[in-house]
PDB file of all heavy atoms in Angstrom:
ATOM      1  N   ALA Y 209       0.843  -1.200   0.012  1.00 48.00           N
ATOM      2  CA  ALA Y 209      -0.005   0.000   0.009  1.00 48.00           C
ATOM      3  C   ALA Y 209       0.861   1.241   0.005  1.00 48.00           C
ATOM      4  O   ALA Y 209       1.893   1.306   0.684  1.00 48.00           O
ATOM      5  CB  ALA Y 209      -0.916   0.004   1.216  1.00 48.00           C
ATOM      6  N   ARG Y 210       0.431   2.209  -0.795  1.00 52.00           N
ATOM      7  CA  ARG Y 210       1.156   3.489  -0.875  1.00 52.00           C
ATOM      8  C   ARG Y 210       0.564   4.453   0.126  1.00 52.00           C
ATOM      9  O   ARG Y 210      -0.656   4.514   0.334  1.00 52.00           O
ATOM     10  CB  ARG Y 210       0.948   4.006  -2.264  1.00 52.00           C
ATOM     11  CG  ARG Y 210       2.239   4.576  -2.862  1.00 52.00           C
ATOM     12  CD  ARG Y 210       1.985   5.045  -4.237  1.00 52.00           C
ATOM     13  NE  ARG Y 210       1.912   6.472  -4.169  1.00 52.00           N
ATOM     14  CZ  ARG Y 210       1.526   7.268  -5.141  1.00 52.00           C
ATOM     15  NH1 ARG Y 210       1.130   6.736  -6.266  1.00 52.00           N
ATOM     16  NH2 ARG Y 210       1.496   8.534  -5.015  1.00 52.00           N
ATOM     17  N   LYS Y 211       1.416   5.250   0.745  1.00 53.00           N
ATOM     18  CA  LYS Y 211       0.918   6.293   1.624  1.00 53.00           C
ATOM     19  C   LYS Y 211       0.226   7.374   0.799  1.00 53.00           C
ATOM     20  O   LYS Y 211       0.652   7.677  -0.317  1.00 53.00           O
ATOM     21  CB  LYS Y 211       2.091   6.950   2.413  1.00 53.00           C
ATOM     22  CG  LYS Y 211       2.483   6.202   3.632  1.00 53.00           C
ATOM     23  CD  LYS Y 211       3.435   7.053   4.439  1.00 53.00           C
ATOM     24  CE  LYS Y 211       3.602   6.493   5.826  1.00 53.00           C
ATOM     25  NZ  LYS Y 211       4.448   7.325   6.609  1.00 53.00           N
ATOM     26  N   SER Y 212      -0.813   7.958   1.415  1.00 53.00           N
ATOM     27  CA  SER Y 212      -1.495   9.016   0.675  1.00 53.00           C
ATOM     28  C   SER Y 212      -0.614  10.265   0.613  1.00 53.00           C
ATOM     29  O   SER Y 212       0.047  10.622   1.576  1.00 53.00           O
ATOM     30  CB  SER Y 212      -2.825   9.360   1.342  1.00 53.00           C
ATOM     31  OG  SER Y 212      -2.594   9.835   2.658  1.00 53.00           O
ATOM     32  N   SER Y 213      -0.623  10.886  -0.545  1.00 53.00           N
ATOM     33  CA  SER Y 213       0.187  12.082  -0.746  1.00 53.00           C
ATOM     34  C   SER Y 213      -0.524  13.277  -0.164  1.00 53.00           C
ATOM     35  O   SER Y 213      -1.713  13.434  -0.309  1.00 53.00           O
ATOM     36  CB  SER Y 213       0.450  12.283  -2.231  1.00 53.00           C
ATOM     37  OG  SER Y 213       1.091  13.487  -2.452  1.00 53.00           O
ATOM     38  N   ASN Y 214       0.204  14.159   0.485  1.00 67.00           N
ATOM     39  CA  ASN Y 214      -0.352  15.396   0.968  1.00 67.00           C
ATOM     40  C   ASN Y 214       0.014  16.580   0.122  1.00 67.00           C
ATOM     41  O   ASN Y 214      -0.154  17.701   0.542  1.00 67.00           O
ATOM     42  CB  ASN Y 214       0.118  15.631   2.421  1.00 67.00           C
ATOM     43  CG  ASN Y 214      -0.633  14.751   3.396  1.00 67.00           C
ATOM     44  OD1 ASN Y 214      -1.770  14.354   3.151  1.00 67.00           O
ATOM     45  ND2 ASN Y 214       0.015  14.443   4.495  1.00 67.00           N
ATOM     46  N   SER Y 215       0.526  16.330  -1.102  1.00 83.00           N
ATOM     47  CA  SER Y 215       0.850  17.453  -1.966  1.00 83.00           C
ATOM     48  C   SER Y 215      -0.435  18.073  -2.465  1.00 83.00           C
ATOM     49  O   SER Y 215      -1.494  17.413  -2.540  1.00 83.00           O
ATOM     50  CB  SER Y 215       1.699  16.964  -3.154  1.00 83.00           C
ATOM     51  OG  SER Y 215       0.905  16.210  -4.029  1.00 83.00           O
ATOM     52  N   LYS Y 216      -0.387  19.303  -2.778  1.00 83.00           N
ATOM     53  CA  LYS Y 216      -1.567  20.030  -3.229  1.00 83.00           C
ATOM     54  C   LYS Y 216      -2.097  19.458  -4.523  1.00 83.00           C
ATOM     55  O   LYS Y 216      -3.317  19.308  -4.704  1.00 83.00           O
ATOM     56  CB  LYS Y 216      -1.231  21.527  -3.417  1.00 83.00           C
ATOM     57  CG  LYS Y 216      -2.424  22.394  -3.491  1.00 83.00           C
ATOM     58  CD  LYS Y 216      -2.062  23.843  -3.355  1.00 83.00           C
ATOM     59  CE  LYS Y 216      -3.316  24.686  -3.221  1.00 83.00           C
ATOM     60  NZ  LYS Y 216      -3.031  26.072  -2.979  1.00 83.00           N
ATOM     61  N   VAL Y 217      -1.210  19.059  -5.421  1.00 87.00           N
ATOM     62  CA  VAL Y 217      -1.676  18.458  -6.710  1.00 87.00           C
ATOM     63  C   VAL Y 217      -2.361  17.141  -6.441  1.00 87.00           C
ATOM     64  O   VAL Y 217      -3.403  16.862  -7.010  1.00 87.00           O
ATOM     65  CB  VAL Y 217      -0.458  18.274  -7.651  1.00 87.00           C
ATOM     66  CG1 VAL Y 217      -0.823  17.528  -8.878  1.00 87.00           C
ATOM     67  CG2 VAL Y 217       0.159  19.622  -8.023  1.00 87.00           C
ATOM     68  N   GLY Y 218      -1.796  16.325  -5.565  1.00 85.00           N
ATOM     69  CA  GLY Y 218      -2.412  15.042  -5.252  1.00 85.00           C
ATOM     70  C   GLY Y 218      -3.781  15.212  -4.633  1.00 85.00           C
ATOM     71  O   GLY Y 218      -4.717  14.466  -4.929  1.00 85.00           O
ATOM     72  N   LEU Y 219      -3.887  16.188  -3.731  1.00 83.00           N
ATOM     73  CA  LEU Y 219      -5.179  16.441  -3.093  1.00 83.00           C
ATOM     74  C   LEU Y 219      -6.218  16.973  -4.089  1.00 83.00           C
ATOM     75  O   LEU Y 219      -7.372  16.581  -4.033  1.00 83.00           O
ATOM     76  CB  LEU Y 219      -5.001  17.424  -1.948  1.00 83.00           C
ATOM     77  CG  LEU Y 219      -4.219  16.927  -0.736  1.00 83.00           C
ATOM     78  CD1 LEU Y 219      -3.972  18.036   0.269  1.00 83.00           C
ATOM     79  CD2 LEU Y 219      -4.967  15.775  -0.090  1.00 83.00           C
ATOM     80  N   LEU Y 220      -5.765  17.812  -5.035  1.00 83.00           N
ATOM     81  CA  LEU Y 220      -6.701  18.299  -6.040  1.00 83.00           C
ATOM     82  C   LEU Y 220      -7.166  17.202  -6.993  1.00 83.00           C
ATOM     83  O   LEU Y 220      -8.325  17.135  -7.368  1.00 83.00           O
ATOM     84  CB  LEU Y 220      -6.058  19.451  -6.846  1.00 83.00           C
ATOM     85  CG  LEU Y 220      -5.900  20.763  -6.089  1.00 83.00           C
ATOM     86  CD1 LEU Y 220      -5.104  21.740  -6.935  1.00 83.00           C
ATOM     87  CD2 LEU Y 220      -7.256  21.317  -5.709  1.00 83.00           C
ATOM     88  N   LEU Y 221      -6.231  16.302  -7.318  1.00 87.00           N
ATOM     89  CA  LEU Y 221      -6.643  15.144  -8.149  1.00 87.00           C
ATOM     90  C   LEU Y 221      -7.629  14.255  -7.419  1.00 87.00           C
ATOM     91  O   LEU Y 221      -8.614  13.768  -8.006  1.00 87.00           O
ATOM     92  CB  LEU Y 221      -5.416  14.333  -8.567  1.00 87.00           C
ATOM     93  CG  LEU Y 221      -4.552  14.951  -9.654  1.00 87.00           C
ATOM     94  CD1 LEU Y 221      -3.305  14.112  -9.866  1.00 87.00           C
ATOM     95  CD2 LEU Y 221      -5.328  15.002 -10.960  1.00 87.00           C
ATOM     96  N   SER Y 222      -7.408  14.042  -6.176  1.00 84.00           N
ATOM     97  CA  SER Y 222      -8.309  13.250  -5.334  1.00 84.00           C
ATOM     98  C   SER Y 222      -9.679  13.917  -5.255  1.00 84.00           C
ATOM     99  O   SER Y 222     -10.712  13.230  -5.360  1.00 84.00           O
ATOM    100  CB  SER Y 222      -7.726  13.062  -3.939  1.00 84.00           C
ATOM    101  OG  SER Y 222      -8.616  12.306  -3.151  1.00 84.00           O
ATOM    102  N   LEU Y 223      -9.706  15.215  -5.066  1.00 83.00           N
ATOM    103  CA  LEU Y 223     -10.955  15.952  -5.022  1.00 83.00           C
ATOM    104  C   LEU Y 223     -11.707  15.862  -6.359  1.00 83.00           C
ATOM    105  O   LEU Y 223     -12.925  15.673  -6.410  1.00 83.00           O
ATOM    106  CB  LEU Y 223     -10.720  17.409  -4.656  1.00 83.00           C
ATOM    107  CG  LEU Y 223     -11.954  18.310  -4.525  1.00 83.00           C
ATOM    108  CD1 LEU Y 223     -12.884  17.785  -3.441  1.00 83.00           C
ATOM    109  CD2 LEU Y 223     -11.561  19.739  -4.220  1.00 83.00           C
ATOM    110  N   GLY Y 224     -10.978  15.981  -7.453  1.00 86.00           N
ATOM    111  CA  GLY Y 224     -11.567  15.877  -8.789  1.00 86.00           C
ATOM    112  C   GLY Y 224     -12.205  14.513  -9.027  1.00 86.00           C
ATOM    113  O   GLY Y 224     -13.301  14.398  -9.536  1.00 86.00           O
ATOM    114  N   SER Y 225     -11.471  13.466  -8.640  1.00 86.00           N
ATOM    115  CA  SER Y 225     -12.015  12.099  -8.841  1.00 86.00           C
ATOM    116  C   SER Y 225     -13.227  11.865  -7.946  1.00 86.00           C
ATOM    117  O   SER Y 225     -14.197  11.215  -8.344  1.00 86.00           O
ATOM    118  CB  SER Y 225     -10.951  11.056  -8.626  1.00 86.00           C
ATOM    119  OG  SER Y 225     -10.513  11.063  -7.293  1.00 86.00           O
ATOM    120  N   SER Y 226     -13.212  12.406  -6.746  1.00 83.00           N
ATOM    121  CA  SER Y 226     -14.360  12.281  -5.865  1.00 83.00           C
ATOM    122  C   SER Y 226     -15.556  13.022  -6.400  1.00 83.00           C
ATOM    123  O   SER Y 226     -16.708  12.522  -6.340  1.00 83.00           O
ATOM    124  CB  SER Y 226     -14.040  12.829  -4.475  1.00 83.00           C
ATOM    125  OG  SER Y 226     -13.064  12.039  -3.820  1.00 83.00           O
ATOM    126  N   THR Y 227     -15.316  14.176  -7.010  1.00 85.00           N
ATOM    127  CA  THR Y 227     -16.398  14.946  -7.611  1.00 85.00           C
ATOM    128  C   THR Y 227     -17.028  14.194  -8.758  1.00 85.00           C
ATOM    129  O   THR Y 227     -18.265  14.135  -8.852  1.00 85.00           O
ATOM    130  CB  THR Y 227     -15.868  16.315  -8.067  1.00 85.00           C
ATOM    131  OG1 THR Y 227     -15.272  17.001  -6.935  1.00 85.00           O
ATOM    132  CG2 THR Y 227     -16.982  17.186  -8.643  1.00 85.00           C
ATOM    133  N   ILE Y 228     -16.233  13.596  -9.605  1.00 88.00           N
ATOM    134  CA  ILE Y 228     -16.789  12.808 -10.714  1.00 88.00           C
ATOM    135  C   ILE Y 228     -17.555  11.641 -10.222  1.00 88.00           C
ATOM    136  O   ILE Y 228     -18.635  11.337 -10.738  1.00 88.00           O
ATOM    137  CB  ILE Y 228     -15.607  12.386 -11.659  1.00 88.00           C
ATOM    138  CG1 ILE Y 228     -15.032  13.610 -12.382  1.00 88.00           C
ATOM    139  CG2 ILE Y 228     -16.074  11.334 -12.646  1.00 88.00           C
ATOM    140  CD1 ILE Y 228     -13.764  13.325 -13.130  1.00 88.00           C
ATOM    141  N   ALA Y 229     -17.064  10.971  -9.182  1.00 86.00           N
ATOM    142  CA  ALA Y 229     -17.790   9.819  -8.637  1.00 86.00           C
ATOM    143  C   ALA Y 229     -19.126  10.244  -8.030  1.00 86.00           C
ATOM    144  O   ALA Y 229     -20.125   9.525  -8.169  1.00 86.00           O
ATOM    145  CB  ALA Y 229     -16.935   9.115  -7.577  1.00 86.00           C
ATOM    146  N   VAL Y 230     -19.176  11.398  -7.352  1.00 85.00           N
ATOM    147  CA  VAL Y 230     -20.417  11.918  -6.799  1.00 85.00           C
ATOM    148  C   VAL Y 230     -21.402  12.200  -7.921  1.00 85.00           C
ATOM    149  O   VAL Y 230     -22.602  11.859  -7.824  1.00 85.00           O
ATOM    150  CB  VAL Y 230     -20.163  13.149  -5.955  1.00 85.00           C
ATOM    151  CG1 VAL Y 230     -21.467  13.859  -5.605  1.00 85.00           C
ATOM    152  CG2 VAL Y 230     -19.438  12.744  -4.656  1.00 85.00           C
ATOM    153  N   ILE Y 231     -20.935  12.827  -8.991  1.00 89.00           N
ATOM    154  CA  ILE Y 231     -21.838  13.146 -10.131  1.00 89.00           C
ATOM    155  C   ILE Y 231     -22.412  11.870 -10.726  1.00 89.00           C
ATOM    156  O   ILE Y 231     -23.624  11.780 -11.012  1.00 89.00           O
ATOM    157  CB  ILE Y 231     -21.088  13.973 -11.168  1.00 89.00           C
ATOM    158  CG1 ILE Y 231     -20.801  15.367 -10.624  1.00 89.00           C
ATOM    159  CG2 ILE Y 231     -21.885  14.067 -12.457  1.00 89.00           C
ATOM    160  CD1 ILE Y 231     -19.855  16.201 -11.463  1.00 89.00           C
ATOM    161  N   ARG Y 232     -21.579  10.836 -10.887  1.00 89.00           N
ATOM    162  CA  ARG Y 232     -22.044   9.569 -11.456  1.00 89.00           C
ATOM    163  C   ARG Y 232     -23.070   8.923 -10.507  1.00 89.00           C
ATOM    164  O   ARG Y 232     -24.078   8.395 -10.959  1.00 89.00           O
ATOM    165  CB  ARG Y 232     -20.887   8.617 -11.698  1.00 89.00           C
ATOM    166  CG  ARG Y 232     -19.984   9.090 -12.834  1.00 89.00           C
ATOM    167  CD  ARG Y 232     -18.865   8.159 -13.100  1.00 89.00           C
ATOM    168  NE  ARG Y 232     -19.406   6.930 -13.665  1.00 89.00           N
ATOM    169  CZ  ARG Y 232     -18.741   5.800 -13.737  1.00 89.00           C
ATOM    170  NH1 ARG Y 232     -17.528   5.716 -13.251  1.00 89.00           N
ATOM    171  NH2 ARG Y 232     -19.295   4.724 -14.255  1.00 89.00           N
ATOM    172  N   SER Y 233     -22.840   9.019  -9.193  1.00 87.00           N
ATOM    173  CA  SER Y 233     -23.786   8.427  -8.236  1.00 87.00           C
ATOM    174  C   SER Y 233     -25.120   9.161  -8.254  1.00 87.00           C
ATOM    175  O   SER Y 233     -26.176   8.557  -8.147  1.00 87.00           O
ATOM    176  CB  SER Y 233     -23.185   8.454  -6.839  1.00 87.00           C
ATOM    177  OG  SER Y 233     -22.092   7.606  -6.755  1.00 87.00           O
ATOM    178  N   VAL Y 234     -25.071  10.485  -8.355  1.00 87.00           N
ATOM    179  CA  VAL Y 234     -26.306  11.259  -8.405  1.00 87.00           C
ATOM    180  C   VAL Y 234     -27.065  10.916  -9.670  1.00 87.00           C
ATOM    181  O   VAL Y 234     -28.313  10.774  -9.624  1.00 87.00           O
ATOM    182  CB  VAL Y 234     -25.992  12.783  -8.344  1.00 87.00           C
ATOM    183  CG1 VAL Y 234     -27.227  13.627  -8.686  1.00 87.00           C
ATOM    184  CG2 VAL Y 234     -25.494  13.141  -6.953  1.00 87.00           C
ATOM    185  N   ASN Y 235     -26.399  10.739 -10.778  1.00 89.00           N
ATOM    186  CA  ASN Y 235     -27.069  10.336 -12.014  1.00 89.00           C
ATOM    187  C   ASN Y 235     -27.715   8.968 -11.874  1.00 89.00           C
ATOM    188  O   ASN Y 235     -28.822   8.719 -12.325  1.00 89.00           O
ATOM    189  CB  ASN Y 235     -26.097  10.328 -13.190  1.00 89.00           C
ATOM    190  CG  ASN Y 235     -25.740  11.722 -13.651  1.00 89.00           C
ATOM    191  OD1 ASN Y 235     -26.468  12.674 -13.363  1.00 89.00           O
ATOM    192  ND2 ASN Y 235     -24.614  11.862 -14.309  1.00 89.00           N
ATOM    193  N   ARG Y 236     -27.026   8.078 -11.172  1.00 87.00           N
ATOM    194  CA  ARG Y 236     -27.590   6.735 -10.926  1.00 87.00           C
ATOM    195  C   ARG Y 236     -28.825   6.816 -10.038  1.00 87.00           C
ATOM    196  O   ARG Y 236     -29.806   6.126 -10.261  1.00 87.00           O
ATOM    197  CB  ARG Y 236     -26.548   5.828 -10.283  1.00 87.00           C
ATOM    198  CG  ARG Y 236     -26.954   4.368 -10.301  1.00 87.00           C
ATOM    199  CD  ARG Y 236     -25.815   3.482  -9.869  1.00 87.00           C
ATOM    200  NE  ARG Y 236     -25.956   3.291  -8.431  1.00 87.00           N
ATOM    201  CZ  ARG Y 236     -24.996   2.884  -7.640  1.00 87.00           C
ATOM    202  NH1 ARG Y 236     -23.804   2.673  -8.132  1.00 87.00           N
ATOM    203  NH2 ARG Y 236     -25.200   2.726  -6.367  1.00 87.00           N
ATOM    204  N   MET Y 237     -28.777   7.714  -9.054  1.00 86.00           N
ATOM    205  CA  MET Y 237     -29.947   7.918  -8.184  1.00 86.00           C
ATOM    206  C   MET Y 237     -31.129   8.425  -8.985  1.00 86.00           C
ATOM    207  O   MET Y 237     -32.270   7.992  -8.793  1.00 86.00           O
ATOM    208  CB  MET Y 237     -29.603   8.914  -7.059  1.00 86.00           C
ATOM    209  CG  MET Y 237     -28.784   8.309  -5.963  1.00 86.00           C
ATOM    210  SD  MET Y 237     -28.360   9.484  -4.697  1.00 86.00           S
ATOM    211  CE  MET Y 237     -29.948  10.073  -4.165  1.00 86.00           C
ATOM    212  N   ARG Y 238     -30.893   9.346  -9.900  1.00 88.00           N
ATOM    213  CA  ARG Y 238     -31.986   9.896 -10.711  1.00 88.00           C
ATOM    214  C   ARG Y 238     -32.585   8.799 -11.575  1.00 88.00           C
ATOM    215  O   ARG Y 238     -33.794   8.725 -11.748  1.00 88.00           O
ATOM    216  CB  ARG Y 238     -31.479  11.039 -11.574  1.00 88.00           C
ATOM    217  CG  ARG Y 238     -31.202  12.276 -10.808  1.00 88.00           C
ATOM    218  CD  ARG Y 238     -30.726  13.378 -11.710  1.00 88.00           C
ATOM    219  NE  ARG Y 238     -30.396  14.583 -10.964  1.00 88.00           N
ATOM    220  CZ  ARG Y 238     -29.704  15.571 -11.413  1.00 88.00           C
ATOM    221  NH1 ARG Y 238     -29.195  15.532 -12.634  1.00 88.00           N
ATOM    222  NH2 ARG Y 238     -29.476  16.610 -10.663  1.00 88.00           N
ATOM    223  N   LYS Y 239     -31.732   7.958 -12.128  1.00 87.00           N
ATOM    224  CA  LYS Y 239     -32.186   6.855 -12.975  1.00 87.00           C
ATOM    225  C   LYS Y 239     -33.086   5.904 -12.174  1.00 87.00           C
ATOM    226  O   LYS Y 239     -34.161   5.491 -12.609  1.00 87.00           O
ATOM    227  CB  LYS Y 239     -31.023   6.120 -13.596  1.00 87.00           C
ATOM    228  CG  LYS Y 239     -31.407   4.975 -14.479  1.00 87.00           C
ATOM    229  CD  LYS Y 239     -30.175   4.260 -14.971  1.00 87.00           C
ATOM    230  CE  LYS Y 239     -30.594   2.947 -15.613  1.00 87.00           C
ATOM    231  NZ  LYS Y 239     -29.441   2.065 -15.777  1.00 87.00           N
ATOM    232  N   THR Y 240     -32.586   5.512 -10.979  1.00 87.00           N
ATOM    233  CA  THR Y 240     -33.342   4.578 -10.184  1.00 87.00           C
ATOM    234  C   THR Y 240     -34.633   5.174  -9.639  1.00 87.00           C
ATOM    235  O   THR Y 240     -35.617   4.469  -9.449  1.00 87.00           O
ATOM    236  CB  THR Y 240     -32.507   4.001  -9.013  1.00 87.00           C
ATOM    237  OG1 THR Y 240     -32.060   5.089  -8.205  1.00 87.00           O
ATOM    238  CG2 THR Y 240     -31.340   3.227  -9.515  1.00 87.00           C
ATOM    239  N   ARG Y 241     -34.635   6.478  -9.406  1.00 85.00           N
ATOM    240  CA  ARG Y 241     -35.863   7.122  -8.945  1.00 85.00           C
ATOM    241  C   ARG Y 241     -36.923   7.077 -10.029  1.00 85.00           C
ATOM    242  O   ARG Y 241     -38.101   6.847  -9.744  1.00 85.00           O
ATOM    243  CB  ARG Y 241     -35.572   8.588  -8.573  1.00 85.00           C
ATOM    244  CG  ARG Y 241     -36.802   9.276  -7.955  1.00 85.00           C
ATOM    245  CD  ARG Y 241     -36.471  10.647  -7.475  1.00 85.00           C
ATOM    246  NE  ARG Y 241     -35.760  11.410  -8.479  1.00 85.00           N
ATOM    247  CZ  ARG Y 241     -35.273  12.585  -8.315  1.00 85.00           C
ATOM    248  NH1 ARG Y 241     -35.374  13.174  -7.132  1.00 85.00           N
ATOM    249  NH2 ARG Y 241     -34.662  13.237  -9.277  1.00 85.00           N
ATOM    250  N   GLY Y 242     -36.513   7.218 -11.299  1.00 85.00           N
ATOM    251  CA  GLY Y 242     -37.435   7.115 -12.430  1.00 85.00           C
ATOM    252  C   GLY Y 242     -38.009   5.694 -12.567  1.00 85.00           C
ATOM    253  O   GLY Y 242     -39.131   5.506 -12.960  1.00 85.00           O
ATOM    254  N   GLU Y 243     -37.176   4.710 -12.226  1.00 87.00           N
ATOM    255  CA  GLU Y 243     -37.630   3.301 -12.306  1.00 87.00           C
ATOM    256  C   GLU Y 243     -38.388   2.895 -11.051  1.00 87.00           C
ATOM    257  O   GLU Y 243     -38.981   1.819 -11.008  1.00 87.00           O
ATOM    258  CB  GLU Y 243     -36.419   2.392 -12.511  1.00 87.00           C
ATOM    259  CG  GLU Y 243     -35.711   2.616 -13.812  1.00 87.00           C
ATOM    260  CD  GLU Y 243     -34.401   1.846 -13.917  1.00 87.00           C
ATOM    261  OE1 GLU Y 243     -34.007   1.214 -12.924  1.00 87.00           O
ATOM    262  OE2 GLU Y 243     -33.745   1.967 -14.985  1.00 87.00           O
ATOM    263  N   GLN Y 244     -38.334   3.715 -10.024  1.00 85.00           N
ATOM    264  CA  GLN Y 244     -38.977   3.471  -8.719  1.00 85.00           C
ATOM    265  C   GLN Y 244     -38.517   2.151  -8.128  1.00 85.00           C
ATOM    266  O   GLN Y 244     -39.331   1.337  -7.653  1.00 85.00           O
ATOM    267  CB  GLN Y 244     -40.495   3.564  -8.850  1.00 85.00           C
ATOM    268  CG  GLN Y 244     -40.935   4.931  -9.280  1.00 85.00           C
ATOM    269  CD  GLN Y 244     -42.405   5.160  -9.141  1.00 85.00           C
ATOM    270  OE1 GLN Y 244     -43.133   4.297  -8.759  1.00 85.00           O
ATOM    271  NE2 GLN Y 244     -42.827   6.352  -9.441  1.00 85.00           N
ATOM    272  N   ASP Y 245     -37.235   1.903  -8.151  1.00 86.00           N
ATOM    273  CA  ASP Y 245     -36.650   0.697  -7.550  1.00 86.00           C
ATOM    274  C   ASP Y 245     -36.016   1.111  -6.226  1.00 86.00           C
ATOM    275  O   ASP Y 245     -34.940   1.693  -6.180  1.00 86.00           O
ATOM    276  CB  ASP Y 245     -35.598   0.144  -8.536  1.00 86.00           C
ATOM    277  CG  ASP Y 245     -35.036  -1.195  -8.035  1.00 86.00           C
ATOM    278  OD1 ASP Y 245     -35.329  -1.583  -6.926  1.00 86.00           O
ATOM    279  OD2 ASP Y 245     -34.279  -1.810  -8.843  1.00 86.00           O
ATOM    280  N   ASN Y 246     -36.702   0.792  -5.139  1.00 88.00           N
ATOM    281  CA  ASN Y 246     -36.254   1.234  -3.811  1.00 88.00           C
ATOM    282  C   ASN Y 246     -34.937   0.625  -3.387  1.00 88.00           C
ATOM    283  O   ASN Y 246     -34.123   1.265  -2.748  1.00 88.00           O
ATOM    284  CB  ASN Y 246     -37.310   0.922  -2.768  1.00 88.00           C
ATOM    285  CG  ASN Y 246     -38.557   1.808  -2.944  1.00 88.00           C
ATOM    286  OD1 ASN Y 246     -38.453   2.882  -3.513  1.00 88.00           O
ATOM    287  ND2 ASN Y 246     -39.688   1.329  -2.461  1.00 88.00           N
ATOM    288  N   LEU Y 247     -34.685  -0.643  -3.767  1.00 90.00           N
ATOM    289  CA  LEU Y 247     -33.450  -1.273  -3.377  1.00 90.00           C
ATOM    290  C   LEU Y 247     -32.253  -0.657  -4.106  1.00 90.00           C
ATOM    291  O   LEU Y 247     -31.208  -0.411  -3.469  1.00 90.00           O
ATOM    292  CB  LEU Y 247     -33.512  -2.755  -3.680  1.00 90.00           C
ATOM    293  CG  LEU Y 247     -32.372  -3.605  -3.203  1.00 90.00           C
ATOM    294  CD1 LEU Y 247     -32.192  -3.452  -1.696  1.00 90.00           C
ATOM    295  CD2 LEU Y 247     -32.546  -5.064  -3.581  1.00 90.00           C
ATOM    296  N   GLU Y 248     -32.409  -0.347  -5.375  1.00 88.00           N
ATOM    297  CA  GLU Y 248     -31.340   0.315  -6.115  1.00 88.00           C
ATOM    298  C   GLU Y 248     -31.125   1.744  -5.605  1.00 88.00           C
ATOM    299  O   GLU Y 248     -29.991   2.221  -5.521  1.00 88.00           O
ATOM    300  CB  GLU Y 248     -31.670   0.384  -7.610  1.00 88.00           C
ATOM    301  CG  GLU Y 248     -31.382  -0.896  -8.337  1.00 88.00           C
ATOM    302  CD  GLU Y 248     -29.891  -1.197  -8.423  1.00 88.00           C
ATOM    303  OE1 GLU Y 248     -29.066  -0.276  -8.546  1.00 88.00           O
ATOM    304  OE2 GLU Y 248     -29.582  -2.402  -8.374  1.00 88.00           O
ATOM    305  N   MET Y 249     -32.191   2.418  -5.184  1.00 88.00           N
ATOM    306  CA  MET Y 249     -32.075   3.760  -4.616  1.00 88.00           C
ATOM    307  C   MET Y 249     -31.278   3.710  -3.297  1.00 88.00           C
ATOM    308  O   MET Y 249     -30.399   4.542  -3.067  1.00 88.00           O
ATOM    309  CB  MET Y 249     -33.431   4.368  -4.367  1.00 88.00           C
ATOM    310  CG  MET Y 249     -33.388   5.747  -3.737  1.00 88.00           C
ATOM    311  SD  MET Y 249     -32.560   6.969  -4.752  1.00 88.00           S
ATOM    312  CE  MET Y 249     -33.849   7.455  -5.837  1.00 88.00           C
ATOM    313  N   ALA Y 250     -31.600   2.753  -2.435  1.00 89.00           N
ATOM    314  CA  ALA Y 250     -30.877   2.588  -1.198  1.00 89.00           C
ATOM    315  C   ALA Y 250     -29.396   2.289  -1.452  1.00 89.00           C
ATOM    316  O   ALA Y 250     -28.516   2.827  -0.772  1.00 89.00           O
ATOM    317  CB  ALA Y 250     -31.501   1.484  -0.331  1.00 89.00           C
ATOM    318  N   ASN Y 251     -29.135   1.473  -2.450  1.00 89.00           N
ATOM    319  CA  ASN Y 251     -27.742   1.151  -2.816  1.00 89.00           C
ATOM    320  C   ASN Y 251     -27.000   2.399  -3.324  1.00 89.00           C
ATOM    321  O   ASN Y 251     -25.843   2.638  -2.992  1.00 89.00           O
ATOM    322  CB  ASN Y 251     -27.736   0.048  -3.899  1.00 89.00           C
ATOM    323  CG  ASN Y 251     -26.364  -0.431  -4.192  1.00 89.00           C
ATOM    324  OD1 ASN Y 251     -25.464  -0.408  -3.337  1.00 89.00           O
ATOM    325  ND2 ASN Y 251     -26.176  -0.961  -5.391  1.00 89.00           N
TER     326      ASN Y 251
END
């Protein structure tokens, strides 16, 4: 395992990847809400 980098560039890259993942998850939530699948929404 690699230690997490505390450099500003590394932190910004981490923030960017987290932001993209949040956007994808929100899109998935919208899709499951349209399908009215409660288990997928909880997931």
Side-chain angles (χ1 to χ4, degrees):
R210 223 178 103 190
K211 277 190 166 183
S212 62
S213 173
N214 282 332
S215 71
K216 196 168 189 175
V217 172
L219 291 173
L220 288 173
L221 284 173
S222 179
L223 181 61
S225 64
S226 293
T227 303
I228 290 170
V230 167
I231 290 170
R232 291 181 69 196
S233 292
V234 168
N235 287 338
R236 193 171 92 199
M237 284 177 57
R238 287 181 183 164
K239 179 184 169 195
T240 58
R241 186 175 49 186
E243 296 171 357
Q244 298 192 358
D245 187 352
N246 290 336
L247 187 57
E248 280 292 326
M249 179 61 84
N251 188 27

